[in-house]
Structures are given as structure tokens and as C-alpha cells.
Amino acid sequence: MFKKSLSLTFFTLFFSSCVSMAPNLELSNDDSIPKNFKNYQQIDEKSDISLDSFLIDENLKSIVNLALENNKDLRIALLRVEESKSLYRIEESNLYPKIDANGSFSRDKKEEIIKNNYKASVGTVFELDLFGKNRSLNDAAKNSFFATQYALNSTKLALISQTINSYLSLASNLENLNLQKEINKNLSSVYELTQKKFNAGVINKEDLLSSLAILKESENQIIVYENLVQIDINSLELLIGSNLNENLIPKNLKKDDSYLALLKSGINSDILLSRPDIKELEYKLRAKNANIGAARATFFPSISLTANTGFASSSLNNLFSNPNSFWQLSPSINIPIFNAGENSAKLDLSKTQKEIALNEYQKGIQTAFKEVNDALIVRKNIYTKLENQKELTTTVEDAYKIALNSYKIGYGSYLNMLIAQKAYINSQKALVQTYLEELENRVEIFKTLGGNID
């Protein structure tokens, strides 16, 4: 009896291994990906852009690790992966027979005769997947699961980039705050000097009021930067899901390569195919392609098999003896005849959804290529801009010192000193902003090339 049951199981498994009716999907990216990035040399091997090699500053590493451990958006994405995995396992279970063991007892009376009935059986209910419907649905669920995994990696990459940029923004605002406080000290000295000159009758009241107005404007700017610093801290605390340790807060913006590594000059354009958002679109496309196979299978008959084997007896003592054994095999077939075009509509829908997914995949690659080129265009000229800003700041600073000293000894006019002072303040802030742009560009290149996130 058990040999018969085992044979039935192998019989159903044999028919469950049919080939899917999904069309072959060949992804040719030659038309989607240009051979070379603009402004960068093309190389054959893949570049090392791992997170560990990209992050240099230890405090920044610690903050990024905290974000990866505690961020709520990342936890939600991780739970969605687990959800998708469960759905895939549910769909995969349909490829195999469902085997159940049953036992029952009944007692009835007929014509003063009381009769007991004992029954123990093993049964299976299974749809023979002759045309690959279940196989296609399983493939769709599997590819959807893979797409969700890459969506998690996309969330990780976005979180890492956002955390780094928030940290750099905090450092730059602290730098501007320190700079503004230093400027404010100089403005206070100038105001005191202007007040002395006014009291001595050397200058008019208009110059005195202008100097006071600039001082008050500077004091307000200090408040602005203090607010921005606190906002940046709040943003980081949201990203890391906890309070920010004071030891991890930067003192200022370091003007060297101690924060982030710079990508080497050669980049392989095929690296875009490994970007998590591109891989997500690829597996979404594969899932839609598999749905076509399931839709095609609905045009063909579906065959189900119900099989039972076991023992039945009026006595429990000899229930499992050979004469009391039984088996039952009940195949059934369902042939679609008329459904008002439902199956055709479902097939057309699945084909349209596949075409949408294909165009989204191709657009995703083209968008990724544009993002990389945009980042590389900025990278091409960023050092020239930075050097020009350094020279400009040095020149303006020298001019301001000359104008200030001339004003102190009574040779220079207050207007010339005021103009030089404004130019000096603006150039200092512009220099900090340029340093920030250079670092943010490194982050953008890391992000657009996929970040090698696992």
C-alpha cells in the first residue's frame, strides 16, 4: 500500500517538472549603454568602489554603520524582503503534492445493530502542471523576491549617500559658524574703531550706523548657522535612529582627502548593470515575462489528481491488516471553452505589462548613464574651480587687510573698506561651499555607480 502511495507521489512530481510556456527573455544592453562615459577613460576591469574603501574618516564610518543598523526605512525594506520571500515560498509549494494523513471513527446503529467504523488514510491533491502554469507563477514570485532584495540594496545606497551628505553638511555649517564668529570679532573691532572716529569727529554718523548694521547682520548670521547646525544634527539622528554622540560631531570641514576616497580614473560602463536599481528593474521584467507563461497556460486544460490510500475496518484491533487496505484515484480535467475573452485579456495584459517593464528597464539604464555623466562633468572641472576659489579668497583677503589697515590709519575711505570686507566674507563662504561641492561630488559618483552594495 505504501509503495503505491510512493508511486503516486513520484508520478505527480514527474508531471510537475514541465517546461514553462514563458517566452525566452534575452536582455541585450548594447543599444542602451554607450561604450564610454564622458570625461573618463574606459577600462575593461571593474573598478573597486566598495563602501569600505570609499569611507576613510572613522567618525563618518561609525555614523554610516549606525544608520545601517538602526534606520527605520531600512528596516521596513528588510521586512518587505522577508514578505516577498514568504510569498515566493508559498508559490513554490504549489509545485509539489500536498500530502495529508487522516484518521476517523464513527459509530452508528441500524436495526438494533451497532457498528463501529475505523479509518486511517494518506491522501494527496495535486494539479498536474503539464503546461507550466505553476512553474511560471513560481518563476514570477522568485524574480519578484529578487527584485525586492535589490530594492533593499537601493534603499541602503540611498541611506548611505544621505547620511554622508548630512554629515558633510553638518561639517560645512560648523565651518561657516566658526568663520562667522571670527568675522564677527573683526567686525566688532571695526565698529569700535568707527565709533572712536565718530566721537573724534573724523567720520559722519552714516558710517557709524553702517558699521553697526553690518555687525548686527553678522550676529544674525551666527544665529542662522547655529540653527542649521542643529537641523543637521536632527537629520543625522533621524537617519541613525538614535542620539548623535558628541564625539562623532565634526569640529569643522576638513579640507583634504581624509573623508572620502576618490574613484580612480578608469570606469567600465558595464558597472551600471550592477546598480541595485537596475537589477531591481531587471528582475521585475523577468517576473512580468514569467506571468506571460502563466497566462498562456490558462488556454489549455488543467488536470488535477486526488489520490487516497489507507485502511478501513469495523474493528480497531485489525485495522492495519492487509485485507482492510484500500486505495482510490480520482483524476479530473477542466477544459476552458468559453469565458468571454477573459483568458485572452489576461494574456494581453501580461504582454503589455512586460513591455512596460522592458521600457522601464531600458530607461533606467539610460537614466543611470546620464547620472554618471552629470557627476563626471562636475568632477572634470571641480579642481579648477576649487583652485580658482582659493586664489580668489587669498586675493580678496589681502585686499581687505590693506583696505582695513588704510582705514585704521586714516588714509583709506570707509566705503572702500566696506566693499573689501563684503568681498572677503563672501569669498570665504564660497570657498567652504566649493569644498563641500567637491566632497558631495565624490558621494554622487559613488552613488551613481552603484556603490557595490551587498
Side-chain angles (χ1 to χ4, degrees):
M1 186 276 298
F2 287 108
K3 290 183 178 179
K4 293 177 182 178
S5 176
L6 193 62
S7 299
L8 289 175
T9 302
F10 280 119
F11 176 75
T12 54
L13 285 173
F14 173 77
F15 280 103
S16 72
S17 60
C18 299
V19 178
S20 169
M21 298 184 70
N24 292 329
L25 180 63
E26 296 181 1
L27 297 178
S28 176
N29 302 301
D30 294 339
D31 297 333
S32 301
I33 301 183
K35 299 300 181 183
N36 297 293
F37 291 116
K38 296 177 181 178
N39 308 310
Y40 257 58
Q41 178 186 356
Q42 172 80 3
I43 60 174
D44 295 330
E45 69 273 7
K46 289 189 176 181
S47 304
D48 180 18
I49 54 171
S50 65
L51 179 62
D52 187 58
S53 62
F54 179 61
L55 296 177
I56 299 175
D57 184 80
E58 292 300 326
N59 285 350
L60 184 54
K61 280 185 179 180
S62 299
I63 290 176
V64 169
N65 288 333
L66 285 172
L68 292 175
E69 290 172 4
N70 303 322
N71 183 263
K72 297 301 181 184
D73 288 334
L74 195 59
R75 287 189 179 185
I76 293 171
L78 183 59
L79 290 172
R80 284 176 179 158
V81 171
E82 294 300 319
E83 177 188 35
S84 180
K85 183 179 179 180
S86 298
L87 291 173
Y88 166 49
R89 290 172 58 195
I90 292 171
E91 198 63 54
E92 188 181 33
S93 68
N94 293 327
L95 298 177
Y96 304 96
K98 306 293 190 299
I99 301 176
D100 299 308
N102 298 286
S104 64
F105 165 73
S106 65
R107 186 181 180 90
D108 58 79
K109 178 180 178 182
K110 185 176 181 180
E111 297 180 355
E112 301 300 324
I113 300 175
I114 298 175
K115 185 177 180 181
N116 296 328
N117 295 293
Y118 298 91
K119 186 176 182 180
S121 64
V122 176
T124 181
V125 178
F126 186 67
E127 179 182 350
L128 302 183
D129 198 22
L130 298 178
F131 302 100
K133 182 183 76 172
N134 290 339
R135 178 67 59 185
S136 295
L137 291 174
N138 176 70
D139 289 342
K142 178 177 66 176
N143 286 305
S144 294
F145 166 55
F146 290 151
T148 310
Q149 283 186 312
Y150 283 107
L152 171 63
N153 290 344
S154 293
T155 303
K156 281 185 181 179
L157 183 58
L159 173 62
I160 290 168
S161 301
Q162 189 177 358
T163 302
I164 296 173
N165 283 333
S166 293
Y167 181 85
L168 295 175
S169 176
L170 173 59
S172 67
N173 281 323
L174 283 168
E175 179 74 19
N176 281 325
L177 177 59
N178 295 334
L179 176 63
Q180 193 64 46
K181 287 180 178 179
E182 181 182 343
I183 291 171
N184 196 71
K185 287 175 63 176
N186 294 333
L187 292 176
S188 296
S189 299
V190 171
Y191 175 67
E192 289 176 3
L193 175 62
T194 305
Q195 196 170 36
K196 290 178 181 178
K197 287 191 173 187
F198 172 73
N199 292 337
V202 178
I203 61 173
N204 57 36
K205 191 172 183 178
E206 182 181 355
D207 291 344
L208 176 64
L209 293 176
S210 296
S211 180
L212 178 61
I214 293 173
L215 178 60
K216 293 303 177 182
E217 182 183 357
S218 174
E219 291 173 353
N220 282 338
Q221 197 64 36
I222 290 175
I223 295 174
V224 169
Y225 284 123
E226 287 176 341
N227 291 340
L228 290 175
V229 166
Q230 192 56 53
I231 289 172
D232 287 335
I233 291 175
N234 293 342
S235 297
L236 278 173
E237 288 180 341
L238 176 63
L239 291 170
I240 66 176
S242 63
N243 292 330
L244 182 61
N245 191 313
E246 290 185 2
N247 295 329
L248 298 178
I249 298 177
K251 303 301 181 185
N252 51 22
L253 183 67
K254 293 184 285 188
K255 303 173 181 64
D256 52 31
D257 292 332
S258 60
Y259 283 124
L260 307 168
L262 180 62
L263 188 69
K264 62 184 181 181
S265 59
I267 305 175
N268 189 325
S269 61
D270 289 340
I271 198 172
L272 291 183
L273 298 179
S274 299
R275 268 179 48 152
D277 57 333
I278 301 301
K279 297 296 289 185
E280 179 187 357
L281 291 172
E282 176 188 337
Y283 281 103
K284 283 183 176 179
L285 171 59
R286 294 185 184 279
K288 298 301 182 185
N289 188 68
N291 283 335
I292 295 179
R296 285 176 174 175
T298 59
F299 287 89
F300 297 89
S302 61
I303 300 175
S304 297
L305 175 66
T306 302
N308 287 281
T309 183
F311 300 91
S313 173
S314 61
S315 173
L316 183 61
N317 293 332
N318 62 351
L319 174 63
F320 295 103
S321 61
N322 194 55
N324 295 324
S325 65
F326 74 92
W327 62 268
Q328 181 182 26
L329 182 65
S330 303
S332 63
I333 185 170
N334 178 37
I335 302 175
I337 297 176
F338 176 75
N339 53 23
E342 179 184 357
N343 290 343
S344 296
K346 287 181 177 179
L347 179 58
D348 291 341
L349 174 63
S350 63
K351 288 181 178 179
T352 302
Q353 289 176 334
K354 181 215 171 175
E355 287 300 312
I356 292 172
L358 176 60
N359 281 276
E360 287 177 341
Y361 173 69
Q362 292 173 342
K363 180 186 176 183
I365 294 176
Q366 293 170 353
T367 301
F369 201 89
K370 174 193 175 296
E371 290 173 351
V372 175
N373 273 330
D374 288 348
L376 295 180
I377 288 172
V378 175
R379 170 55 49 185
K380 179 183 178 182
N381 299 315
I382 191 68
Y383 283 121
T384 302
K385 180 180 179 181
L386 186 58
E387 290 303 316
N388 288 340
Q389 189 59 47
K390 286 180 182 178
E391 293 180 12
L392 174 62
T393 302
T394 301
T395 302
V396 171
E397 183 178 8
D398 292 340
Y400 170 59
K401 288 179 180 178
I402 293 172
L404 180 59
N405 291 330
S406 297
Y407 176 70
K408 285 181 179 180
I409 62 177
Y411 283 105
S413 69
Y414 177 76
L415 180 59
N416 288 338
M417 188 276 295
L418 186 62
I419 294 173
Q421 186 182 72
K422 283 282 189 182
Y424 168 67
I425 294 172
N426 292 335
S427 66
Q428 289 280 7
K429 292 179 181 179
L431 181 59
V432 173
Q433 181 61 33
T434 307
Y435 274 115
L436 180 61
E437 287 176 8
E438 193 276 330
L439 290 168
E440 288 178 338
N441 178 252
R442 297 189 187 200
V443 178
E444 186 65 16
I445 292 176
F446 173 79
K447 178 183 176 183
T448 56
L449 291 178
N452 197 20
I453 302 298
D454 297 323

